[in-house]
Amino acid sequence: MYQIPRGTRDFLPEQAARFRRLEEIAVALASQYGYGELRTPIFEYTELFARSVGESTDIVEKEMYTFQDRGERSLTLRPEGTAGVVRAFVENKLYNGPLPAKYYYFGPMFRYEKPQAGRYRQLWQFGVELFGAAGPRADVEVIALGWQYFQELGIKATLVLNSIGCRQCREEYKKALVAYLQGRKTCKLCADRLERNPLRVLDCKEESCQRELEEAPRISQYLCPQCREHFERVKSGLSALSIPFTQDDRLVRGLDYYNRTTFEYKTTELGSQDALGGGGRYDGLVELIGGPAVPAVGLALGIDRTELMDPPALRREPRRRGVWLVTMDPVTDEAIALAHPLRRQGVYLGYDLEGRSFKAQFKQADRNNCRWSLIIGPDDLSQGQAMLRDMETGEQRPLALENLVELVSQLEGVK
Ligand code: HAM
């Protein structure tokens, strides 16, 4: 027996349909906000992720699917979408076009994490990236888009907000944090983080670290006047749109490219996998990847976790629709030929493929949730008529075969 790789999933039709709805709703929303689709490859040169996500992040250190291709180039399955979009933005010189430029994407990402409910090795993200707007309004717009998505789905999420400052004020803060934590009891991992990526300590779930952090210096006390002003305007912009948020100056994200605003949409319903989505501003990344200095902000929403929340908007009663062709004897080619054009009219049409009995065909009509059965008896074809049965009420009525497609495609509940 072959087995699916750990941390990946098959999407059977019902769940695949839910995923498709989640994508459609996201795409409609992004279009409403003026975003156009940008598709980038599933794999990129490893160096791109190492550079942009950051060498000392968990993602780059231990979660990437990296392999050599036959030309001995190091490639990596994308662990996230921003790096590829920024690469495409630079490589296609999109910065020469009108700014701000707005892109969205939907697709699988790959992270070698320990699988559990809500955490997969192949995961789906819907993301947006906005280039060329440095002001706080851009942050607000992006955050509002994610917020509206969860609202439309009927999901309760909490927006958590922070500012991690700019390179200058963050450096000051890092120094203060390191000085404070040195000699204190942190976990082993954090002792190491302290040297290489001190902000990650803030995110540690270990109780000993959490305790030590209680009195630690806070980034909010270190923001420079410009960063402080930016953050204040993001907050007032969100309030103006009646979007509630909580501020958490320990919210650091697992990617290195952020500056100023960072945010996450959280839930209490999925255990430890509490982030439904997140993002932030990344003003230095375009330049780091070889483009001009273009400010940017974006987000990614985790679609696997969103679906796990069982969004009310997806809970629709299965509706009867379409037509099942039923014949007295096993289905004939003539009957199929008559009904087949319905498919070109956008009507769901089904019929038995295995020579089953009349009774069995009715059962199929029911099992396939058809609204109508089109019953063609042995003499019907020569007499130019058939029967139509409403599967909801059981009522039957005769139907002239002349104009069949036209008549049937106008029936109530057929599409
Ligand atoms: P991220 O926070 O790493 O951000 O991922 C965004 C979301 O993807 C998470 O909040 C979570 O819902 C989902 N996610 C991440 N890993 C997994 C996993 N193993 N299984 C299931 N879901 C997962 C980014 O990826 C950034 N690129 C966001 C961004 C865009 N920032 C700026 N622009």
Side-chain angles (χ1 to χ4, degrees):
M1 271 289 272
Y2 293 105
Q3 281 182 348
I4 194 168
R6 226 164 103 70
T8 67
R9 301 192 283 164
D10 293 319
F11 292 90
L12 306 185
E14 210 174 292
Q15 200 184 11
R18 284 161 65 83
F19 250 60
R20 184 163 294 275
R21 268 308 281 153
L22 289 175
E23 175 178 359
E24 283 167 0
I25 295 170
V27 167
L29 190 62
S31 312
Q32 221 174 298
Y33 277 73
Y35 288 78
E37 186 179 18
L38 183 64
R39 293 195 191 193
T40 63
I42 299 281
F43 54 83
E44 300 267 1
Y45 291 123
T46 303
E47 182 56 24
L48 174 70
F49 300 116
R51 246 352 281 282
S52 46
V53 175
E55 297 275 6
S56 61
T57 57
D58 282 357
I59 293 181
V60 171
E61 278 190 346
K62 45 188 191 208
E63 294 174 3
M64 296 209 299
Y65 280 90
T66 298
F67 59 97
Q68 288 227 323
D69 72 2
R70 284 163 195 275
E72 294 186 2
R73 285 165 287 250
S74 179
L75 296 170
T76 293
L77 299 185
R78 61 182 187 192
E80 58 102 51
T82 310
V85 171
V86 171
R87 198 256 321 124
F89 183 76
V90 173
E91 192 166 353
N92 294 288
K93 297 193 171 58
L94 297 174
Y95 45 79
N96 285 334
L99 295 177
K102 302 174 169 188
Y103 309 100
Y104 78 80
Y105 52 89
F106 182 93
M109 311 290 159
F110 304 85
R111 296 184 188 181
Y112 191 81
E113 291 193 83
K114 198 159 174 234
Q116 62 178 77
R119 197 203 279 153
Y120 308 99
R121 291 183 172 172
Q122 176 168 348
L123 59 124
W124 268 260
Q125 284 185 348
F126 172 79
V128 304
E129 313 292 353
L130 189 162
F131 295 91
R137 277 207 182 128
D139 312 37
V140 172
E141 186 185 279
V142 167
I143 297 171
L145 187 155
W147 181 256
Q148 192 174 339
Y149 185 62
F150 295 122
Q151 291 267 296
E152 283 187 15
L153 291 172
I155 287 178
K156 266 199 226 102
T158 320
L159 171 62
V160 183
L161 200 62
N162 190 21
S163 172
I164 58 167
C166 58
R167 214 174 298 158
Q168 286 80 19
C169 49
R170 194 164 52 251
E171 277 316 308
E172 289 302 307
Y173 174 63
K174 272 188 197 166
K175 274 190 217 149
L177 185 66
V178 171
Y180 171 85
L181 285 172
Q182 244 148 21
R184 286 176 196 263
K185 270 207 205 83
T186 57
C187 69
K188 252 205 189 120
L189 206 60
C190 282
D192 181 49
R193 282 177 179 145
L194 208 52
E195 281 184 14
R196 294 185 305 135
N197 205 346
L199 289 190
R200 296 295 306 166
V201 178
L202 298 178
D203 212 19
C204 184
K205 305 272 190 292
E206 291 290 330
E207 220 173 278
S208 58
C209 299
Q210 283 300 322
R211 217 174 311 121
E212 291 295 356
L213 283 169
E214 271 165 28
E215 306 280 310
R218 294 178 170 267
I219 181 78
S220 48
Q221 302 159 335
Y222 284 79
L223 296 181
C224 64
Q226 293 80 358
C227 287
R228 194 177 296 269
E229 159 85 8
H230 186 95
F231 194 34
E232 288 308 317
R233 287 181 52 202
V234 170
K235 288 189 279 184
S236 60
L238 289 171
S239 298
L241 297 179
S242 307
I243 297 176
F245 58 86
T246 56
Q247 206 174 316
D248 178 359
D249 51 15
R250 296 230 189 113
L251 177 78
V252 282
R253 312 236 320 117
L255 308 104
D256 276 355
Y257 45 62
Y258 294 115
N259 67 306
R260 291 193 167 164
T261 317
T262 55
F263 58 92
E264 254 167 19
Y265 306 94
K266 296 204 173 190
T267 173
T268 49
E269 286 170 43
L270 296 181
S272 59
Q273 305 311 303
D274 62 352
L276 292 173
R281 181 164 275 287
Y282 50 96
D283 292 334
L285 188 56
V286 174
E287 209 174 1
L288 189 73
I289 298 306
V294 177
V297 53
L299 62 69
L301 309 177
I303 301 304
D304 306 81
R305 292 181 193 170
T306 303
E307 197 252 349
L308 271 181
M309 297 285 290
D310 192 17
L314 300 185
R315 273 183 240 147
R316 273 186 307 188
E317 284 292 300
R319 189 177 68 92
R320 283 188 176 275
R321 54 53 182 122
V323 178
W324 196 266
L325 174 65
V326 176
T327 54
M328 289 298 176
D329 301 314
V331 179
T332 60
D333 286 348
E334 286 86 349
I336 290 175
L338 204 71
H340 195 75
L342 282 171
R343 288 183 167 160
R344 284 201 291 274
Q345 299 300 314
V347 172
Y348 171 91
L349 171 72
Y351 45 80
D352 170 50
L353 302 174
E354 302 278 358
R356 288 192 176 85
S357 71
F358 181 69
K359 207 170 136 204
Q361 291 178 46
F362 260 118
K363 266 206 192 124
Q364 289 177 313
D366 216 34
R367 208 177 314 125
N368 284 286
N369 220 10
C370 278
R371 171 69 198 274
W372 301 93
S373 287
L374 176 65
I375 308 161
I376 302 188
D379 302 328
D380 282 351
L381 285 178
S382 57
Q383 290 171 12
Q385 60 161 39
M387 258 325 197
L388 202 59
R389 183 187 174 88
D390 187 331
M391 301 295 287
E392 261 174 18
T393 63
E395 273 166 40
Q396 293 198 164
R397 58 170 126 144
L399 176 95
L401 285 182
E402 217 185 6
N403 310 327
L404 171 100
V405 172
E406 206 172 85
L407 290 172
V408 171
S409 43
Q410 280 162 13
L411 286 174
E412 180 197 333
V414 83
K415 283 184 187 161

